[in-house]
Amino acid sequence: MNTSTATAGVSITEALVTALAATWRAIQHRHPEVPDVVLTLGSGTIGARRGEVNLGHFAAERWHTTNSETGTGDTAGDEEPPAGMAELFVGGEGLRRGALGVLGTLLHEAGHGLASARRIQDTSRQGRYHNRRFAALAQEMGITVTQDGARGWSATTVPAQTADEYAPELAALTEAITAYRRAEAPTGGTGKTSRNNPAATCGCDPARRIRVARAVLAAGPILCGTCATEFTTDDPEETDQQDSDDE
């Protein structure tokens, strides 16, 4: 194993995981409803849509805790399965944005954790569209979110006041982030442009779906009469490379 160090005697992995875990604990200290998580690191581009990077996600009850009596996660008969723990995924490619960007991802995912704890439906479209309920939770977490096309209220920035509150954690992250993952080369596709009208969806849950010519979409917003949000498309011809915090 490569033992290159972030600080003397500490591996890159150890320093990074320690700093990320400490930052999550600091978030929980300020927001006690945010749940415990199992932290995972990996690729944010494998399986992602072309041109996108998955910066992170929060997934409730993704991990089974072990049974304290048997030492396993298995159950017998009609017993209830062991309690689940949430997963916090951090995409290695997103580390290139530095400590402030990573803090933004952690606070964004903590917002999803808060929604899970309060049983608030804060997303739709398989977790891609972030609704106004998420925007309110994000404000509570101290981050600013703005609308980002088909992802809704998901584009995340960290205001100066919040950065100041997490100054010790930002310093630790800055020291620990000494590497980031290379993006996977895009695979699949023929390179041909589809001549079909793209599908556009609104913010309803479930989303309403229409097909409309690209020229019509480009001419101006098309608003849904039910939820009053703009119909947007995930058509790759309509989007540039984007980073996303997905649930």
Side-chain angles (χ1 to χ4, degrees):
M1 184 176 85
N2 190 325
T3 56
S4 298
T5 57
T7 57
V10 179
S11 71
I12 290 176
T13 303
E14 183 181 354
L16 182 57
V17 171
T18 297
L20 290 170
T23 303
W24 191 261
R25 287 197 299 273
I27 293 171
Q28 288 181 298
H29 178 73
R30 291 171 174 81
H31 306 275
E33 291 177 85
V34 172
D36 291 334
V37 293
V38 175
L39 173 66
T40 64
L41 287 165
S43 170
T45 50
I46 292 178
R49 301 187 180 198
R50 183 181 294 271
E52 292 186 356
V53 177
N54 182 8
L55 302 176
H57 73 226
F58 173 92
E61 298 188 358
R62 186 61 58 85
W63 289 71
H64 288 302
T65 55
T66 57
N67 188 301
S68 59
E69 295 181 358
T70 65
T72 71
D74 297 330
T75 58
D78 295 328
E79 295 178 17
E80 291 293 324
M85 284 191 67
E87 177 177 86
L88 170 65
F89 167 79
V90 177
E93 294 88 341
L95 298 176
R96 75 186 190 280
R97 301 174 306 134
L100 189 62
V102 172
L103 175 63
T105 292
L106 295 179
L107 288 167
H108 179 115
E109 302 310 329
H112 289 307
L114 200 58
S116 176
R118 295 177 182 176
R119 300 185 181 278
I120 295 173
Q121 184 68 41
D122 62 336
T123 64
S124 57
R125 305 182 202 169
Q126 294 77 50
R128 287 180 60 80
Y129 184 83
H130 295 58
N131 60 34
R132 291 184 181 275
R133 291 185 288 273
F134 176 77
L137 292 168
Q139 183 177 19
E140 186 174 338
M141 298 303 303
I143 53 178
T144 300
V145 293
T146 55
Q147 286 190 305
D148 183 17
R151 296 178 183 83
W153 297 87
S154 65
T156 302
T157 56
V158 181
Q161 180 178 345
T162 301
D164 289 342
E165 292 174 358
Y166 288 93
E169 289 73 33
L170 282 171
L173 286 169
T174 298
E175 185 175 0
I177 299 173
T178 59
Y180 62 86
R181 196 181 192 280
R182 292 177 178 172
E184 298 293 327
T187 59
T190 63
K192 296 180 180 179
T193 299
S194 171
R195 296 185 181 274
N196 294 330
N197 291 338
T201 52
C202 68
C204 289
D205 188 10
R208 303 172 73 191
R209 180 184 179 93
I210 62 173
R211 285 197 175 274
V212 61
R214 294 183 179 88
V216 175
L217 278 175
I222 301 174
L223 301 181
C224 172
T226 301
C227 67
T229 63
E230 179 181 352
F231 278 94
T232 56
T233 177
D234 288 333
D235 189 326
E237 292 188 20
E238 306 296 328
T239 58
D240 297 322
Q241 178 166 337
Q242 298 178 6
D243 293 342
S244 64
D245 294 286
D246 293 333
E247 187 182 8

